[in-house]
Amino acid sequence: MELNSDFSSRVVVHSDQLKWQPSPMKGVDRRMLDRIGGEVARATTIVRYAPGSHFSAHSHTGGEEFIVLDGVFQDEHGDYPAGTYVRNPPTTSHTPGSEPGCTIFVKLWQFDMEDRNQFRKNMADELPAPVNGLAIVTLHSDAREVVTYSHLDPGVSLESDASGGIELLVIDGTITNGEDVLHKNGWLRLPEGEKLSATAGAEGAKIWMKSGHLPYAKAPAV
């Protein structure tokens, strides 16, 4: 399966307008944003766990990173409330689920295969004091990518000319990019060479962003 797999094109997905699709596990549904592959895939997805649902135990051969958007994600390593950012690199494993239910934004098979940097962070706790209405923190940085989290006051813009492509998810609020207005859970991917200018709406915005990673995009080696 290929979905939004042309990384030389700009892509906007208003994910809350997509229908939920069932996964192989009962009670776990998903909205696919981009994908190369079948059930084992290089994928960016919003996943919803119904209360009491669980996924089977598995290893992260190609790595996994996710943000808890609402509810509480759980595994044998602990509870992960909304606002948690997690990186589970290649060779890690767990048995995920959620007794209260949750929704996560997850990226699979997009790690450097030598990466072993595993961590979890409460994104809001990492933020510094705002400057001119913008608070921004780097959550992760390596030779392949930079991951940030930002709070924008109303009318404030987030600008970037980072090389290697840019991708963002609106965690809360709204932003305008060109002719598009992205609301909560809206997803934007810009190709290599395209600059980002995103302006927060009347309620401000909270944005997760990754840059530099698109040159490494490829199907998983399975």
Short mmCIF file of all heavy atoms in Angstrom, two decimals, residues 164-220:
data_model
loop_
_atom_site.label_atom_id
_atom_site.label_comp_id
_atom_site.label_asym_id
_atom_site.label_seq_id
_atom_site.Cartn_x
_atom_site.Cartn_y
_atom_site.Cartn_z
N GLY A 164 15.77 19.25 4.31
CA GLY A 164 15.35 17.87 4.50
C GLY A 164 13.88 17.66 4.72
O GLY A 164 13.44 16.58 5.11
N GLY A 165 13.06 18.68 4.43
CA GLY A 165 11.62 18.54 4.58
C GLY A 165 11.14 18.89 5.98
O GLY A 165 11.90 18.87 6.95
N ILE A 166 9.85 19.21 6.07
CA ILE A 166 9.23 19.61 7.33
C ILE A 166 7.88 18.92 7.45
O ILE A 166 7.15 18.80 6.48
CB ILE A 166 9.03 21.14 7.38
CG1 ILE A 166 10.38 21.86 7.37
CG2 ILE A 166 8.21 21.56 8.60
CD1 ILE A 166 10.28 23.36 7.18
N GLU A 167 7.56 18.48 8.64
CA GLU A 167 6.27 17.83 8.92
C GLU A 167 5.77 18.35 10.26
O GLU A 167 6.55 18.51 11.20
CB GLU A 167 6.48 16.31 9.00
CG GLU A 167 5.30 15.51 9.48
CD GLU A 167 5.63 14.03 9.63
OE1 GLU A 167 6.74 13.62 9.23
OE2 GLU A 167 4.79 13.29 10.17
N LEU A 168 4.47 18.63 10.35
CA LEU A 168 3.94 19.07 11.64
C LEU A 168 2.54 18.52 11.88
O LEU A 168 1.81 18.20 10.95
CB LEU A 168 3.96 20.60 11.75
CG LEU A 168 3.07 21.46 10.84
CD1 LEU A 168 1.63 21.52 11.31
CD2 LEU A 168 3.65 22.87 10.75
N LEU A 169 2.21 18.43 13.15
CA LEU A 169 0.88 18.05 13.61
C LEU A 169 0.38 19.13 14.55
O LEU A 169 1.10 19.54 15.47
CB LEU A 169 0.91 16.71 14.34
CG LEU A 169 -0.45 16.23 14.85
CD1 LEU A 169 -1.30 15.69 13.69
CD2 LEU A 169 -0.29 15.15 15.93
N VAL A 170 -0.85 19.60 14.31
CA VAL A 170 -1.47 20.56 15.22
C VAL A 170 -2.03 19.80 16.41
O VAL A 170 -2.99 19.03 16.27
CB VAL A 170 -2.57 21.37 14.51
CG1 VAL A 170 -3.19 22.37 15.48
CG2 VAL A 170 -2.01 22.09 13.28
N ILE A 171 -1.45 19.99 17.57
CA ILE A 171 -1.90 19.31 18.78
C ILE A 171 -3.15 19.97 19.34
O ILE A 171 -4.06 19.31 19.86
CB ILE A 171 -0.79 19.32 19.85
CG1 ILE A 171 0.50 18.68 19.30
CG2 ILE A 171 -1.25 18.60 21.11
CD1 ILE A 171 0.38 17.23 18.98
N ASP A 172 -3.21 21.30 19.20
CA ASP A 172 -4.37 22.04 19.68
C ASP A 172 -4.39 23.39 18.98
O ASP A 172 -3.37 23.88 18.50
CB ASP A 172 -4.31 22.22 21.19
CG ASP A 172 -5.67 22.51 21.80
OD1 ASP A 172 -6.69 22.40 21.08
OD2 ASP A 172 -5.72 22.85 23.00
N GLY A 173 -5.57 24.01 18.92
CA GLY A 173 -5.71 25.30 18.28
C GLY A 173 -5.78 25.18 16.77
O GLY A 173 -6.15 24.14 16.23
N THR A 174 -5.42 26.27 16.08
CA THR A 174 -5.45 26.28 14.62
C THR A 174 -4.22 27.03 14.09
O THR A 174 -3.68 27.90 14.77
CB THR A 174 -6.70 26.97 14.05
OG1 THR A 174 -6.72 28.34 14.48
CG2 THR A 174 -7.97 26.28 14.48
N ILE A 175 -3.83 26.66 12.86
CA ILE A 175 -2.79 27.41 12.16
C ILE A 175 -3.23 27.61 10.72
O ILE A 175 -4.03 26.84 10.18
CB ILE A 175 -1.42 26.70 12.17
CG1 ILE A 175 -1.50 25.35 11.44
CG2 ILE A 175 -0.89 26.55 13.58
CD1 ILE A 175 -0.15 24.75 11.13
N THR A 176 -2.68 28.64 10.09
CA THR A 176 -2.88 28.88 8.67
C THR A 176 -1.55 28.74 7.96
O THR A 176 -0.54 29.32 8.40
CB THR A 176 -3.45 30.28 8.41
OG1 THR A 176 -4.72 30.40 9.06
CG2 THR A 176 -3.62 30.54 6.92
N ASN A 177 -1.54 27.94 6.90
CA ASN A 177 -0.36 27.80 6.04
C ASN A 177 -0.82 27.95 4.60
O ASN A 177 -1.57 27.11 4.10
CB ASN A 177 0.31 26.43 6.27
CG ASN A 177 1.45 26.17 5.29
OD1 ASN A 177 1.32 25.36 4.37
ND2 ASN A 177 2.56 26.85 5.47
N GLY A 178 -0.43 29.05 3.98
CA GLY A 178 -0.91 29.32 2.63
C GLY A 178 -2.42 29.48 2.65
O GLY A 178 -2.97 30.27 3.43
N GLU A 179 -3.10 28.71 1.80
CA GLU A 179 -4.55 28.78 1.71
C GLU A 179 -5.25 27.84 2.69
O GLU A 179 -6.47 27.82 2.78
CB GLU A 179 -5.02 28.43 0.28
CG GLU A 179 -4.48 29.36 -0.79
CD GLU A 179 -5.01 30.77 -0.64
OE1 GLU A 179 -6.21 30.92 -0.32
OE2 GLU A 179 -4.23 31.72 -0.84
N ASP A 180 -4.48 27.04 3.43
CA ASP A 180 -5.05 26.00 4.29
C ASP A 180 -5.11 26.42 5.75
O ASP A 180 -4.14 26.99 6.27
CB ASP A 180 -4.23 24.71 4.17
CG ASP A 180 -4.34 24.07 2.81
OD1 ASP A 180 -5.45 23.66 2.43
OD2 ASP A 180 -3.31 24.01 2.09
N VAL A 181 -6.23 26.11 6.38
CA VAL A 181 -6.37 26.27 7.82
C VAL A 181 -6.41 24.87 8.43
O VAL A 181 -7.26 24.05 8.07
CB VAL A 181 -7.65 27.04 8.19
CG1 VAL A 181 -7.79 27.14 9.70
CG2 VAL A 181 -7.63 28.44 7.56
N LEU A 182 -5.46 24.59 9.30
CA LEU A 182 -5.40 23.29 9.95
C LEU A 182 -5.88 23.43 11.38
O LEU A 182 -5.38 24.26 12.15
CB LEU A 182 -3.97 22.75 9.94
CG LEU A 182 -3.46 22.16 8.63
CD1 LEU A 182 -3.07 23.27 7.65
CD2 LEU A 182 -2.27 21.26 8.87
N HIS A 183 -6.83 22.59 11.74
CA HIS A 183 -7.36 22.54 13.10
C HIS A 183 -6.67 21.42 13.89
O HIS A 183 -5.73 20.79 13.39
CB HIS A 183 -8.87 22.33 13.05
CG HIS A 183 -9.59 23.44 12.35
ND1 HIS A 183 -10.11 24.54 13.00
CD2 HIS A 183 -9.88 23.62 11.03
CE1 HIS A 183 -10.68 25.35 12.14
NE2 HIS A 183 -10.56 24.81 10.92
N LYS A 184 -7.13 21.18 15.08
CA LYS A 184 -6.57 20.13 15.92
C LYS A 184 -6.48 18.81 15.14
O LYS A 184 -7.43 18.42 14.47
CB LYS A 184 -7.44 19.95 17.16
CG LYS A 184 -6.90 18.92 18.14
CD LYS A 184 -7.78 18.85 19.38
CE LYS A 184 -7.26 17.82 20.37
NZ LYS A 184 -8.10 17.76 21.59
N ASN A 185 -5.33 18.17 15.22
CA ASN A 185 -5.02 16.91 14.54
C ASN A 185 -4.82 17.08 13.03
O ASN A 185 -4.71 16.09 12.31
CB ASN A 185 -6.06 15.82 14.82
CG ASN A 185 -6.14 15.46 16.29
OD1 ASN A 185 -5.15 15.56 17.01
ND2 ASN A 185 -7.32 15.05 16.74
N GLY A 186 -4.76 18.33 12.56
CA GLY A 186 -4.38 18.56 11.17
C GLY A 186 -2.90 18.27 10.98
O GLY A 186 -2.08 18.57 11.85
N TRP A 187 -2.56 17.71 9.81
CA TRP A 187 -1.19 17.27 9.54
C TRP A 187 -0.70 17.88 8.24
O TRP A 187 -1.42 17.87 7.24
CB TRP A 187 -1.18 15.74 9.47
CG TRP A 187 0.15 15.09 9.22
CD1 TRP A 187 1.19 14.96 10.10
CD2 TRP A 187 0.57 14.44 8.01
NE1 TRP A 187 2.22 14.27 9.51
CE2 TRP A 187 1.86 13.93 8.23
CE3 TRP A 187 -0.04 14.22 6.77
CZ2 TRP A 187 2.56 13.23 7.25
CZ3 TRP A 187 0.66 13.53 5.79
CH2 TRP A 187 1.95 13.04 6.04
N LEU A 188 0.51 18.40 8.26
CA LEU A 188 1.11 19.06 7.10
C LEU A 188 2.50 18.49 6.87
O LEU A 188 3.27 18.33 7.82
CB LEU A 188 1.22 20.57 7.36
CG LEU A 188 2.04 21.40 6.37
CD1 LEU A 188 1.34 21.49 5.02
CD2 LEU A 188 2.29 22.80 6.94
N ARG A 189 2.80 18.18 5.59
CA ARG A 189 4.16 17.75 5.24
C ARG A 189 4.65 18.58 4.06
O ARG A 189 3.98 18.63 3.02
CB ARG A 189 4.19 16.26 4.90
CG ARG A 189 5.61 15.67 4.86
CD ARG A 189 5.59 14.22 4.44
NE ARG A 189 5.25 14.11 3.03
CZ ARG A 189 4.67 13.03 2.49
NH1 ARG A 189 4.34 12.00 3.24
NH2 ARG A 189 4.40 13.00 1.19
N LEU A 190 5.79 19.22 4.23
CA LEU A 190 6.38 20.05 3.19
C LEU A 190 7.63 19.37 2.65
O LEU A 190 8.45 18.85 3.43
CB LEU A 190 6.76 21.42 3.74
CG LEU A 190 5.62 22.27 4.33
CD1 LEU A 190 6.17 23.58 4.87
CD2 LEU A 190 4.55 22.54 3.28
N PRO A 191 7.84 19.39 1.33
CA PRO A 191 9.00 18.72 0.75
C PRO A 191 10.28 19.51 0.98
O PRO A 191 10.27 20.67 1.40
CB PRO A 191 8.65 18.66 -0.73
CG PRO A 191 7.77 19.84 -0.96
CD PRO A 191 6.96 19.98 0.30
N GLU A 192 11.39 18.86 0.68
CA GLU A 192 12.70 19.50 0.71
C GLU A 192 12.67 20.80 -0.08
O GLU A 192 12.15 20.87 -1.19
CB GLU A 192 13.73 18.55 0.09
CG GLU A 192 15.09 19.16 -0.19
CD GLU A 192 15.96 19.24 1.05
OE1 GLU A 192 16.14 18.21 1.71
OE2 GLU A 192 16.46 20.35 1.34
N GLY A 193 13.18 21.88 0.54
CA GLY A 193 13.28 23.15 -0.15
C GLY A 193 12.11 24.09 0.04
O GLY A 193 12.20 25.26 -0.34
N GLU A 194 11.01 23.62 0.63
CA GLU A 194 9.85 24.49 0.86
C GLU A 194 9.88 25.01 2.29
O GLU A 194 9.94 24.24 3.25
CB GLU A 194 8.55 23.76 0.59
CG GLU A 194 7.33 24.67 0.67
CD GLU A 194 6.08 24.05 0.07
OE1 GLU A 194 6.20 23.12 -0.74
OE2 GLU A 194 4.97 24.50 0.44
N LYS A 195 9.81 26.32 2.44
CA LYS A 195 9.86 26.95 3.75
C LYS A 195 8.49 26.87 4.44
O LYS A 195 7.46 26.86 3.78
CB LYS A 195 10.29 28.41 3.63
CG LYS A 195 11.71 28.59 3.10
CD LYS A 195 12.08 30.06 3.01
CE LYS A 195 13.49 30.24 2.48
NZ LYS A 195 13.87 31.67 2.39
N LEU A 196 8.53 26.84 5.75
CA LEU A 196 7.30 26.83 6.55
C LEU A 196 7.00 28.22 7.07
O LEU A 196 7.88 28.90 7.62
CB LEU A 196 7.44 25.88 7.74
CG LEU A 196 6.29 25.96 8.77
CD1 LEU A 196 5.01 25.37 8.19
CD2 LEU A 196 6.67 25.26 10.06
N SER A 197 5.76 28.64 6.92
CA SER A 197 5.24 29.81 7.61
C SER A 197 3.84 29.44 8.08
O SER A 197 2.93 29.27 7.27
CB SER A 197 5.19 31.03 6.69
OG SER A 197 4.65 32.14 7.38
N ALA A 198 3.68 29.27 9.39
CA ALA A 198 2.40 28.87 9.97
C ALA A 198 2.00 29.88 11.03
O ALA A 198 2.77 30.14 11.96
CB ALA A 198 2.51 27.47 10.59
N THR A 199 0.81 30.44 10.89
CA THR A 199 0.34 31.48 11.80
C THR A 199 -0.81 30.96 12.65
O THR A 199 -1.78 30.39 12.12
CB THR A 199 -0.11 32.72 11.02
OG1 THR A 199 0.98 33.19 10.22
CG2 THR A 199 -0.55 33.82 11.96
N ALA A 200 -0.71 31.15 13.95
CA ALA A 200 -1.73 30.67 14.88
C ALA A 200 -3.01 31.47 14.76
O ALA A 200 -2.99 32.68 14.52
CB ALA A 200 -1.21 30.71 16.31
N GLY A 201 -4.13 30.79 14.97
CA GLY A 201 -5.44 31.43 14.95
C GLY A 201 -5.77 32.12 16.25
O GLY A 201 -4.90 32.32 17.12
N ALA A 202 -7.05 32.45 16.42
CA ALA A 202 -7.48 33.27 17.55
C ALA A 202 -7.27 32.60 18.90
O ALA A 202 -7.16 33.28 19.93
CB ALA A 202 -8.96 33.63 17.38
N GLU A 203 -7.22 31.26 18.93
CA GLU A 203 -7.01 30.55 20.19
C GLU A 203 -5.57 30.13 20.40
O GLU A 203 -5.26 29.40 21.35
CB GLU A 203 -7.94 29.33 20.29
CG GLU A 203 -7.68 28.27 19.24
CD GLU A 203 -8.45 28.46 17.95
OE1 GLU A 203 -8.32 29.52 17.32
OE2 GLU A 203 -9.18 27.53 17.57
N GLY A 204 -4.66 30.54 19.50
CA GLY A 204 -3.28 30.10 19.59
C GLY A 204 -3.13 28.71 19.00
O GLY A 204 -4.06 28.16 18.40
N ALA A 205 -1.97 28.11 19.19
CA ALA A 205 -1.73 26.77 18.64
C ALA A 205 -0.62 26.06 19.41
O ALA A 205 0.29 26.70 19.95
CB ALA A 205 -1.37 26.85 17.16
N LYS A 206 -0.73 24.73 19.43
CA LYS A 206 0.33 23.86 19.95
C LYS A 206 0.73 22.95 18.81
O LYS A 206 -0.13 22.27 18.21
CB LYS A 206 -0.17 23.05 21.15
CG LYS A 206 -0.63 23.92 22.32
CD LYS A 206 -1.21 23.09 23.45
CE LYS A 206 -1.72 23.99 24.58
NZ LYS A 206 -2.31 23.18 25.69
N ILE A 207 2.03 22.91 18.50
CA ILE A 207 2.50 22.25 17.29
C ILE A 207 3.68 21.32 17.60
O ILE A 207 4.66 21.73 18.23
CB ILE A 207 2.95 23.28 16.23
CG1 ILE A 207 1.77 24.18 15.83
CG2 ILE A 207 3.55 22.60 15.01
CD1 ILE A 207 2.18 25.32 14.92
N TRP A 208 3.58 20.08 17.13
CA TRP A 208 4.72 19.16 17.09
C TRP A 208 5.28 19.22 15.69
O TRP A 208 4.53 19.20 14.72
CB TRP A 208 4.24 17.75 17.43
CG TRP A 208 5.29 16.68 17.31
CD1 TRP A 208 6.10 16.23 18.31
CD2 TRP A 208 5.63 15.91 16.15
NE1 TRP A 208 6.92 15.23 17.85
CE2 TRP A 208 6.64 15.01 16.51
CE3 TRP A 208 5.16 15.89 14.83
CZ2 TRP A 208 7.21 14.11 15.62
CZ3 TRP A 208 5.72 15.00 13.93
CH2 TRP A 208 6.73 14.13 14.33
N MET A 209 6.61 19.29 15.57
CA MET A 209 7.22 19.42 14.24
C MET A 209 8.49 18.59 14.14
O MET A 209 9.25 18.48 15.10
CB MET A 209 7.53 20.88 13.93
CG MET A 209 7.98 21.14 12.50
SD MET A 209 8.16 22.91 12.13
CE MET A 209 9.85 23.18 12.67
N LYS A 210 8.70 18.01 12.95
CA LYS A 210 9.92 17.27 12.63
C LYS A 210 10.47 17.82 11.33
O LYS A 210 9.72 18.11 10.39
CB LYS A 210 9.61 15.76 12.49
CG LYS A 210 10.83 14.89 12.20
CD LYS A 210 10.41 13.50 11.76
CE LYS A 210 9.85 12.68 12.89
NZ LYS A 210 10.92 12.11 13.74
N SER A 211 11.79 17.94 11.24
CA SER A 211 12.43 18.40 10.01
C SER A 211 13.69 17.59 9.74
O SER A 211 14.28 17.00 10.65
CB SER A 211 12.75 19.89 10.10
OG SER A 211 13.68 20.14 11.14
N GLY A 212 14.09 17.58 8.46
CA GLY A 212 15.33 16.92 8.06
C GLY A 212 15.22 15.47 7.67
O GLY A 212 16.16 14.88 7.14
N HIS A 213 14.06 14.86 7.88
CA HIS A 213 13.93 13.40 7.81
C HIS A 213 13.55 12.84 6.45
O HIS A 213 13.74 11.66 6.18
CB HIS A 213 12.89 12.95 8.83
CG HIS A 213 11.54 13.56 8.66
ND1 HIS A 213 11.35 14.93 8.62
CD2 HIS A 213 10.30 13.03 8.50
CE1 HIS A 213 10.07 15.19 8.47
NE2 HIS A 213 9.42 14.06 8.38
N LEU A 214 13.00 13.66 5.57
CA LEU A 214 12.41 13.11 4.34
C LEU A 214 13.43 12.46 3.39
O LEU A 214 13.08 11.51 2.69
CB LEU A 214 11.59 14.18 3.62
CG LEU A 214 10.35 14.66 4.35
CD1 LEU A 214 9.54 15.60 3.47
CD2 LEU A 214 9.48 13.48 4.81
N PRO A 215 14.68 12.91 3.32
CA PRO A 215 15.62 12.21 2.45
C PRO A 215 15.84 10.75 2.82
O PRO A 215 16.33 9.97 2.00
CB PRO A 215 16.92 13.03 2.60
CG PRO A 215 16.46 14.40 2.97
CD PRO A 215 15.27 14.16 3.86
N TYR A 216 15.48 10.37 4.05
CA TYR A 216 15.69 9.00 4.51
C TYR A 216 14.44 8.14 4.36
O TYR A 216 14.43 6.97 4.77
CB TYR A 216 16.13 9.02 5.97
CG TYR A 216 17.34 9.88 6.21
CD1 TYR A 216 17.20 11.19 6.69
CD2 TYR A 216 18.62 9.42 5.92
CE1 TYR A 216 18.31 12.00 6.89
CE2 TYR A 216 19.73 10.24 6.12
CZ TYR A 216 19.56 11.52 6.61
OH TYR A 216 20.66 12.32 6.80
N ALA A 217 13.36 8.71 3.81
CA ALA A 217 12.10 8.00 3.72
C ALA A 217 12.19 6.86 2.71
O ALA A 217 12.56 7.06 1.55
CB ALA A 217 10.98 8.95 3.32
N LYS A 218 11.86 5.65 3.15
CA LYS A 218 11.85 4.49 2.27
C LYS A 218 11.03 3.38 2.92
O LYS A 218 10.72 3.43 4.12
CB LYS A 218 13.26 4.01 1.99
CG LYS A 218 14.05 3.59 3.23
CD LYS A 218 15.47 3.20 2.87
CE LYS A 218 16.24 2.79 4.12
NZ LYS A 218 17.62 2.38 3.79
N ALA A 219 10.70 2.37 2.13
CA ALA A 219 9.94 1.24 2.65
C ALA A 219 10.80 0.46 3.63
O ALA A 219 12.04 0.42 3.53
CB ALA A 219 9.50 0.34 1.50
N PRO A 220 10.18 -0.19 4.64
CA PRO A 220 10.96 -0.98 5.60
C PRO A 220 11.62 -2.17 4.92
O PRO A 220 11.07 -2.76 3.99
CB PRO A 220 9.90 -1.42 6.62
CG PRO A 220 8.60 -1.35 5.89
CD PRO A 220 8.75 -0.21 4.94
#
